[in-house]
């Protein structure tokens, strides 16, 4: 049976989707967002679960990070699939999911997508939740933790002094922003000293690397001071550890100094 | 077996919270979430403590949903820092339904506070005026031991060795001193607990139905939650104030007793902090209004006599007891001069208290809309509460704004700290509106924001520079959202007025119980989201990400707003370009065609060769050499100081120059760099960029 849609919800959904396409253009993100919102408006008995979906949809628009925005849409539509009693909204949510999958900004969600099909068919909320939880578990086992497929590289704030360039504020790299760049314009070659603390791993292998002008240096767990002669810029610090249960890999760059 | 089953059924809430703690603890590690040693332990601990205080009862339905939100967001934490923040905050928020349910039980208010204590003690940094107050407390117990550092001189102190802070509040914290900062936080938690318990007693006496629930909301919502356990006198003042209201509204007592108590309480409030004099005045005014018969006209004479007595005492003690920061004469002069010469700024500060992105309550506590909407109903149903809680709050607020104008929020301390005295009246007011669906939504969104602040307390510190830490964490440096958010520091009049109007409309709709209120709130939120995602075409220079600039520095180099307190024109930071290496590289808008027009707002300080600014795009460039004049000081400043303004960037006229540059197809960036800055070591010489806008 076709779900009824209230006029105010219809107006809100239409306006929100139109505004989104007008102001942001058509993309995988905007289409999946509009579908999520259409799905929510089709849910007859709005409850706390759909309220969570609306909040997730709202925050996904506000956030400036497109990967995080997509993850929030995904959260919203998984809640929608679990919480909606009628079939139509669940179908719309799955179409939205497929757009996210096609767009490819988040990796490791195929098992979850597969699990959402049986969830589509179950009438009882409990079974839908179990199916989705199974998808989460299968995803973790098969593909690992869902992460962004591309990242914006963080460029660390540099300060020019009489003796060279310094990066004085601490900055961390972890799985959700795994690359930091140290830039020193017009400085072709310099001695670079970087103070790092790395950890969150359960072995003594390197946590990440520093790449500068074709040279690569390992960052070992614990507190270290690396001195690199004739470093060239940009110097790129990358967390090389991937997700593993019971590991929380992190590299903290306490400070760095480059002297010509 | 049956006993076991019965226990499980009766204590399902307790068992659920314990089981949730275990699940969160394990999955935090399985997912590899950051901060396993702090948040990864503290959040499960808060669930265990909630279970322990929850006792018998069913599982709160909303807790289950919030636990699911937490687990799902934890799964996606690797997609970005925003999801990581939301995951942790939703993990904590899951205990809130339990805490609100606990409030209805015996000693419910105390029990609701316990699960939050470890988070507050461990996570909140000991900063701002906190060490200062702690040092004064130390001065009573163990002078000079230096556990909290030495007492530093602050602007406006009577002398280098005497602080402008009143001594009563630090003295009341002495019992906590042996336990260092934890002890002092503990004392403040006790003050807050006392205040909230008495507030709930006041609500009960006046016949409100949800008196305990409202009291616990006071703990959990901004502004209350942000000052919870912090070494600031807000909750202490509220405790004393509520005692005053309880006694003064007790009809069993004689007028003499009620008047005596009100006078004593008013005096105590001033002795806690002079800022609370507005509450004292409000209490006395409420007593006058609510007293019936001719006897009430004796009260103004009594009050006037007391003020004269206080001032005489002050004269006798050499101004030490009732010393106002910057001196009593300056204080009185300020109160007279501000409304005459700075009316627009005072109106701006009033509006900012609601909508300003850094300090306004709308963004940190949207429930305030419901609080304001419920005031007419509060007046109708509980006029006693309306007068006794509302008048002191109003007079306090007006005095605060009149005295401190743009500095009313006391940044960088947590948002809403200065507005704690308005919490009781707004809580009472929202208590009249709790059945409304839109009000419920606003309360739960506000609780979510509080949960973010509890888990990431550093997001609450703003520096009165137009950039909000909370918004920055959610939207990042590249978002266009700051162009559409109201800021008193970076004032954009149409945007600011639009938000005030939107807030007004929403308050009106909630007050009228419109069924479309929720839809309008969602629509505004979504529209903001759509606008935030547009390509950026304007940049506040000091916010330009490192990716788009080489070197340059922020002026002033200290982010503390205290450094900009006496800037008379604008209080924004600026991007200082003082060497030929300094440059900004902004991405060209995708639709710019074969030429681009930019408006650059900057100040040019000449202290050597005339400085200039150059814009280039590929082989094309355009430049201008120019220096800014020093502005005349505003008229009102003349009443406080005679000297002329120094030649400093903040006192210079801002220049707005438009550049048109041809654009080569291959070029992606416009470069902005200073000229006339080589081979000069003159201090402050150079270009101070304010804003760049693609037209």
């Amino acid at each position: 049976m076709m779900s009824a849609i209230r006029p105010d919800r219809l107006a809100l959904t239409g306006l929100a989707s139109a505004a989104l396409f007008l102001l942001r253009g058509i993309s995988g993100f905007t289409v999946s967002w509009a579908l999520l919102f259409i799905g929510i408006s089709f849910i007859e008995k709005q409850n706390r679960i759909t309220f969570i979906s609306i909040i997730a949809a709202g925050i996904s628009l506000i956030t400036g990070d497109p990967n995080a925005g997509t993850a929030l849409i995904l959260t919203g539509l998984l809640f929608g699939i679990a919480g909606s009693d009628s079939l139509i909204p669940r179908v719309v949510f799955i179409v939205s999911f497929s757009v996210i999958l096609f767009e490819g900004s988040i990796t490791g969600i195929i098992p979850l997508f597969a699990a959402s099909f049986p969830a589509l068919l179950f009438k009882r909320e409990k079974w839908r939740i179990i199916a989705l939880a199974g998808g989460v578990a299968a995803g973790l086992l098969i593909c690992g933790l869902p992460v962004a497929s591309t990242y914006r590289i963080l460029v660390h704030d540099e300060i020019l002094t009489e003796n060279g360039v310094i990066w004085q504020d601490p900055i961390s790299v972890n799985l959700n922003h795994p690359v930091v760049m140290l830039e020193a314009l017009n400085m072709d070659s310099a001695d670079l000293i970087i103070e790092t603390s790395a950890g969150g791993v359960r072995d003594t292998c390197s946590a990440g690397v520093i790449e500068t002008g074709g040279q690569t240096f390992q960052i070992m767990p614990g507190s270290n001071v690396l001195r690199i002669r004739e470093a060239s810029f940009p110097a790129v610090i990358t967390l090389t550890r991937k997700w593993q249960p019971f590991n929380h890999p992190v590299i903290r760059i306490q400070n760095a100094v480059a002297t010509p | 077996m049956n006993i076991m089953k019965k226990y499980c059924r009766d204590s399902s809430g307790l068992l659920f919270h314990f089981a949730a703690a275990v699940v969160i603890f394990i999955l935090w590690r399985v997912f590899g979430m950051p901060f396993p040693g702090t948040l990864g332990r503290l959040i499960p601990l808060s669930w265990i403590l909630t279970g322990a205080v929850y006792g018998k009862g069913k599982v709160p339905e909303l807790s289950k949903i919030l636990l699911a939100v937490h687990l799902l967001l934890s799964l996606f934490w690797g997609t970005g820092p925003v999801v990581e923040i939301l995951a942790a905050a939703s993990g904590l928020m899951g205990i809130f339904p339990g805490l609100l349910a606990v409030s209805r039980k015996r000693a419910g208010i105390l029990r609701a506070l316990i699960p939050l204590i470890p988070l507050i003690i461990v996570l909140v940094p000991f900063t701002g005026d906190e060490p200062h107050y702690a040092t004064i407390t130390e001065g009573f117990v163990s002078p000079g031991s230096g556990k909290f550092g030495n007492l530093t001189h602050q602007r406006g102190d009577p002398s280098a060795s005497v602080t402008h802070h009143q001594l009563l509040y630090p003295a009341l914290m002495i019992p906590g001193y042996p336990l260092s900062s934890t002890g002092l936080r503990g004392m403040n938690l006790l003050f807050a607990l006392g205040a909230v318990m008495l507030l709930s007693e006041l609500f009960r006496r006046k016949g409100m139905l949800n008196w305990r629930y409202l009291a616990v909301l006071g703990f959990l919502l901004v502004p209350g939650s942000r000052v919870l356990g912090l070494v600031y006198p807000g909750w202490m003042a509220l405790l004393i104030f509520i005692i005053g209201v309880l006694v003064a509204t007790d009809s069993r007592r004689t007028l003499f007793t009620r008047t005596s108590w009100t006078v004593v309480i008013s005096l105590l409030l001033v002795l806690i902090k002079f800022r609370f004099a507005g509450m004292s005045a409000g209490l006395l005014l409420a007593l006058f209004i609510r007293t019936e018969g001719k006897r009430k006209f004796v009260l103004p004479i009594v009050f006037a006599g007391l003020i004269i007595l206080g001032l005489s005492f002050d004269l006798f003690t050499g101004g030490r007891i009732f010393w106002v920061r910057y001196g009593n004469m300056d204080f009185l002069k300020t109160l007279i001069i501000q409304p005459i010469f700075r009316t627009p700024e005072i109106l701006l500060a009033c509006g900012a208290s609601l909508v300003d992105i850094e300090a306004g309550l709308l963004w940190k506590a949207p429930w305030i809309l419901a609080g304001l909407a419920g005031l007419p109903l509060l007046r109708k149903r509980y006029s006693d509460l309306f007068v006794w809680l509302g008048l002191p709050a109003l007079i306090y607020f007006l005095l605060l704004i009149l005295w401190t104008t743009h500095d009313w929020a006391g940044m960088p301390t947590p948002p809403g700290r200065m507005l704690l005295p308005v919490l009781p009246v707004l809580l009472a007011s929202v208590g009249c509106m709790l059945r409304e669906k839109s009000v419920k939504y606003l309360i739960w969104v506000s609780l979510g924001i509080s949960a973010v602040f509890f888990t990431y307390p550093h997001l609450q510190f703003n520096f009165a520079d137009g950039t909000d830490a909370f918004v920055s964490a959610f939207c990042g440096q590249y978002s266009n959202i700051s162009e559409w958010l109201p800021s008193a520091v970076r004032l954009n009049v149409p945007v600011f007025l639009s938000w005030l109007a939107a807030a007004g409309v929403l308050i009106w709709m909630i007050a009228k119980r419109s069924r479309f209120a929720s839809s309008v709130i969602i629509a505004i939120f979504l529209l903001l989201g759509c606008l935030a995602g547009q390509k950026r075409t304007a940049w506040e220079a000091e916010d330009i990400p490192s990716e788009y600039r080489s070197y340059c520095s922020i002026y002033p180099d200290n982010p503390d707003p205290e450094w900009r307190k006496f800037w008379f024109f604008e209080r924004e930071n600026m991007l200082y370009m003082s060497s030929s290496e300094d440059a900004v590289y902004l991405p060209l808008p995708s639709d710019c065609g074969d030429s681009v027009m930019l408006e650059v707002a900057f100040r040019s300080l000449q202290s050597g060769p005339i400085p200039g600014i150059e814009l280039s795009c590929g082989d094309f460039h355009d430049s201008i050499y120019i220096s800014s004049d020093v502005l005349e000081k505003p008229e009102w400043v003349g009443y406080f100081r005679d000297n002329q303004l120094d030649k400093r960037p903040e006192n210079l006229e801002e220049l707005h120059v438009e550049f048109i540059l041809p654009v080569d197809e291959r070029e992606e960036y416009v470069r902005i760099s200073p000229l006339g800055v080589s081979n000069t070591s003159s201090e402050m010489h150079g270009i101070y960029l304010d804003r760049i806008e693609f037209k």
Side-chain angles (χ1 to χ4, degrees), chain B residues 479-480 482-483 490 535-545 548-550 552 554 570 572-577 582-589 596-603 613-616 654-661 669-674 687-695:
Chain B
S479 167
N480 196 38
S482 57
E483 292 294 305
R490 288 177 187 157
K535 286 274 175 210
R536 207 165 173 166
T537 55
W539 299 86
E540 291 295 338
E542 67 274 24
D543 286 351
I544 293 173
Y548 297 151
R549 61 184 164 90
S550 82
C552 309
I554 304 293
E570 282 182 22
E572 281 186 69
N573 289 322
M574 290 172 260
L575 191 69
Y576 180 32
M577 303 170 98
D582 292 346
V584 167
Y585 300 84
L586 290 181
L588 284 164
V596 65
M597 185 168 148
L598 289 102
E599 184 180 321
V600 184
F602 64 99
R603 292 170 173 84
I613 187 166
E614 182 184 67
L615 271 76
S616 55
E654 182 160 280
L655 306 163
H656 292 257
V657 181
E658 282 188 352
F659 295 88
I660 300 174
L661 288 172
Y669 292 93
V670 170
R671 181 177 189 271
I672 301 166
S673 54
I687 296 293
Y688 294 82
L689 271 184
D690 177 15
R691 186 178 160 86
I692 302 141
E693 193 171 348
F694 288 94
K695 294 277 186 182

Side-chain angles (χ1 to χ4, degrees), chain A residues 80-116:
Chain A
I81 292 170
S84 66
D85 285 335
S86 47
L87 187 67
I88 300 270
R90 294 207 293 269
V91 171
V92 178
F93 291 137
I94 289 199
V95 176
S96 174
F97 199 152
S98 60
V99 174
I100 290 173
L101 200 67
F102 181 73
E103 187 208 14
S105 59
I106 299 178
T107 62
I109 51 173
I110 293 172
L112 196 53
F113 181 65
S116 61

Side-chain angles (χ1 to χ4, degrees), chain B residues 4 13 79 135 168 197 201 333 410 416 458 475 480 513 573 585:
Chain B
M4 201 59 190
T79 56
T135 314
L168 177 60
M197 286 172 98
E201 174 62 16
K333 217 196 272 184
H458 67 274
C475 303
N480 196 38
R513 295 163 190 259
N573 289 322
Y585 300 84

Side-chain angles (χ1 to χ4, degrees), chain A residues 20-256:
Chain A
L20 186 66
F21 290 134
L22 199 69
L23 294 169
R24 287 204 181 180
I26 292 175
S27 64
F29 176 84
T30 53
V31 171
S32 58
W33 190 92
L35 285 168
L36 167 66
F37 218 68
I38 290 167
I40 294 169
S41 63
F42 268 116
I43 298 174
E44 271 180 75
K45 288 180 187 169
Q46 298 280 358
N47 54 24
R48 287 163 175 174
I49 293 180
T50 45
F51 178 59
I52 299 284
S53 296
I54 293 171
I55 292 283
I59 301 174
S60 73
L61 277 188
I62 296 278
T63 177
D65 181 345
N67 298 325
T70 309
L72 287 165
I73 293 178
L74 204 50
T75 306
L77 62 89
L78 288 172
F79 262 87
I81 292 170
S84 66
D85 285 335
S86 47
L87 187 67
I88 300 270
R90 294 207 293 269
V91 171
V92 178
F93 291 137
I94 289 199
V95 176
S96 174
F97 199 152
S98 60
V99 174
I100 290 173
L101 200 67
F102 181 73
E103 187 208 14
S105 59
I106 299 178
T107 62
I109 51 173
I110 293 172
L112 196 53
F113 181 65
S116 61
F117 280 95
L120 175 80
L121 302 171
F122 289 126
K123 276 192 177 176
R124 288 186 64 185
E125 187 181 300
K126 186 179 150 187
W127 290 110
R128 291 199 295 272
I129 292 170
I130 289 172
L132 291 174
V136 169
L140 276 176
L141 286 171
I142 300 165
C143 311
L145 193 77
V147 289
S149 50
T150 51
Y151 294 94
R152 183 185 274 275
I153 296 171
L154 284 177
V155 181
H156 196 11
D157 273 340
E158 78 278 13
I159 297 169
L160 183 65
T161 67
E162 283 177 8
N163 302 322
V165 179
I166 57 171
W167 293 265
Q168 63 181 11
D169 295 326
I171 191 168
S172 296
V173 286
N174 64 21
L175 288 175
N176 66 29
H177 47 93
V179 188
V180 165
M181 188 192 277
L182 305 182
E183 183 76 90
L185 212 73
N186 300 338
M187 189 175 267
D188 297 329
S189 175
D191 287 348
L192 179 64
I193 301 171
I194 305 182
E195 204 180 319
T196 62
S197 304
V201 290
R202 293 178 183 274
D203 53 43
T204 51
C205 303
S206 82
V209 292
I210 301 175
E211 290 169 275
T212 164
Q215 306 177 79
T216 303
F217 302 89
Q218 306 289 330
I219 300 173
M220 307 309 284
S223 293
N224 292 292
V225 178
L226 281 106
R227 292 166 196 274
I228 302 169
R229 291 201 182 279
E230 294 177 5
S232 59
F233 292 93
V236 180
I237 296 141
T238 310
L239 183 80
T240 49
R241 292 299 185 105
K242 300 293 172 212
W243 170 78
Q244 259 188 316
F246 302 100
N247 277 257
H248 311 264
V250 62
I251 300 171
R252 191 166 169 82
I253 298 142
Q254 303 291 7
N255 59 62

Side-chain angles (χ1 to χ4, degrees), chain B residues 360-429:
Chain B
L361 284 185
L362 175 68
W363 308 98
K364 314 295 187 297
W367 71 273
I368 239 73
L369 294 177
L372 292 170
L375 286 174
L377 208 58
L378 181 72
R379 188 177 167 225
K380 203 169 144 191
R381 286 191 195 163
Y382 308 100
S383 65
D384 239 15
L385 284 178
F386 180 78
V387 172
W388 280 99
L389 298 179
L391 261 182
L394 180 69
I395 297 178
Y396 165 83
F397 174 73
L398 292 177
L399 193 70
L400 177 72
I401 298 283
L402 275 183
W403 184 14
T404 52
T405 331
H406 60 71
D407 196 33
W408 67 269
M411 282 184 267
T413 52
R417 175 173 77 88
M418 296 295 209
L419 297 181
L420 197 60
V422 305
L423 180 74
V425 67
L426 292 176
L427 273 181
S429 165

